[in-house]
Amino acid sequence: MKHLALFFLLLSAQTLEAKLIATCSEWSPFYFRTGQQIEGDVHTLTEQVLAQAGLTADFTIEPWPRALLNTQEQPNYLLTCLGYTRARASRFQWIGKSTKGLEYKFFRLASSQHRILSLHDLDDVMVGVIRDSHSLSYLQQHVPNAIPVLLTTIEQQLLTLLKGRVSYILLSEPALQRERDALQIDPESIVEEFEAYDATTYLAMGLSADPELVKRLKQAYVELVSQNKLSIPSAR
């Protein structure tokens, strides 16, 4: 029994020291790649928490469905940008906020004649959303008769809208602005139509992650907040 206890103690210690992979999808201006570097306020916040915990991580950018699946299945994945929903509450171990008060809105082409006076105006309307995102969850819960068109990147959202394949896209304004500028799209060609919801995102790990590792990260997060050393970005 003593040997067995020692084995699990050593296994836990190895897990705590294992190289973490911190990930999110391309999510400018919060988490994005410039050349070979990953930058953004969420990246900076994650680095602060890791340093406070005495840990390091390899930072990656993955398509959102892959980032979400890897976090659920791999014990060393740290998702830096997981939107909280009731459906996800019991499927992840939550560490702390990475953004707050981020407004998500429906955007349309300036040339479009379609208008949204209430969410019922989206019945049978095609809306471009990121696959497996909280935007998709919002659409399914609040506008069940809308037709979601599932995409993997913000770039795809904008291009799909410009090609007329959807009537609206649902995303945050900062993300829209940065991707629009990167693609050199006329700023006046896409306009806001309707405010949808405020989102808060979190640092989170899957249920297979070592609870002691999650506890260590949570403690580091709380310490930074209590010392006023952690700036949680807001889109407001």
Side-chain angles (χ1 to χ4, degrees):
M1 290 295 292
K2 289 183 178 179
H3 291 297
L4 188 60
L6 179 61
F7 170 77
F8 283 113
L9 181 63
L10 290 172
L11 183 62
S12 179
Q14 289 173 353
T15 302
L16 282 172
E17 299 303 324
K19 191 72 168 183
L20 290 173
I21 298 175
T23 192
C24 183
S25 58
E26 183 87 17
W27 187 37
S28 57
F30 301 99
Y31 191 97
F32 60 95
R33 190 184 303 280
T34 300
Q36 299 300 314
Q37 299 295 319
I38 295 177
E39 300 179 358
D41 290 340
V42 169
H43 172 264
T44 300
L45 179 146
T46 306
E47 281 195 319
Q48 288 180 270
V49 174
L50 288 167
Q52 184 73 12
L55 298 167
T56 60
D58 290 332
F59 284 84
T60 67
I61 291 178
E62 302 176 355
W64 178 249
R66 186 186 304 163
L68 190 65
L69 182 62
N70 282 339
T71 303
Q72 290 177 297
E73 294 185 346
Q74 303 297 328
N76 63 326
Y77 260 74
L78 172 63
L79 191 52
T80 66
C81 54
L82 184 61
Y84 184 89
T85 66
R86 283 178 293 178
R88 291 174 177 169
S90 61
R91 292 160 50 196
F92 294 90
Q93 300 183 74
W94 304 85
I95 294 164
K97 294 179 182 178
S98 59
T99 65
K100 58 183 179 181
L102 189 61
E103 289 187 345
Y104 277 68
K105 305 174 183 180
F106 291 98
F107 293 89
R108 61 171 173 82
L109 291 177
S111 59
S112 172
Q113 299 301 309
H114 195 279
R115 297 294 183 270
I116 303 174
L117 299 179
S118 75
L119 290 176
H120 290 297
D121 293 324
L122 287 167
D123 288 352
D124 300 319
V125 173
M126 300 180 78
V127 180
V129 292
I130 300 296
R131 184 186 303 272
D132 295 328
S133 65
H134 51 74
S135 296
L136 175 59
S137 296
Y138 171 85
L139 204 64
Q140 291 171 332
Q141 292 173 14
H142 297 279
V143 201
N145 293 324
I147 304 171
V149 176
L150 305 183
L151 306 165
T152 58
T153 66
I154 296 170
E155 177 182 351
Q156 285 184 349
Q157 281 186 291
L158 268 65
L159 294 178
T160 301
L161 179 67
L162 288 172
K163 292 175 182 178
R165 295 175 180 170
V166 297
S167 297
Y168 293 96
I169 53 177
L170 179 55
L171 72 167
S172 70
E173 190 163 3
L176 168 73
Q177 290 175 348
R178 183 174 178 86
E179 197 63 40
R180 183 191 62 200
D181 293 345
L183 295 171
Q184 298 183 327
I185 296 170
D186 180 1
E188 297 183 0
S189 65
I190 299 175
V191 297
E192 173 191 335
E193 174 62 24
F194 195 82
E195 292 186 4
Y197 65 98
D198 282 354
T200 297
T201 64
Y202 288 77
L203 303 177
M205 299 189 75
L207 298 181
S208 63
D210 189 330
E212 288 300 315
L213 174 58
V214 176
K215 181 180 178 180
R216 184 168 167 178
L217 289 166
K218 281 184 179 180
Q219 182 177 348
Y221 186 97
V222 170
E223 289 171 356
L224 288 170
V225 170
S226 66
Q227 297 167 11
N228 293 318
K229 293 182 179 179
L230 200 65
S231 177
I232 304 172
S234 172
R236 291 177 178 271

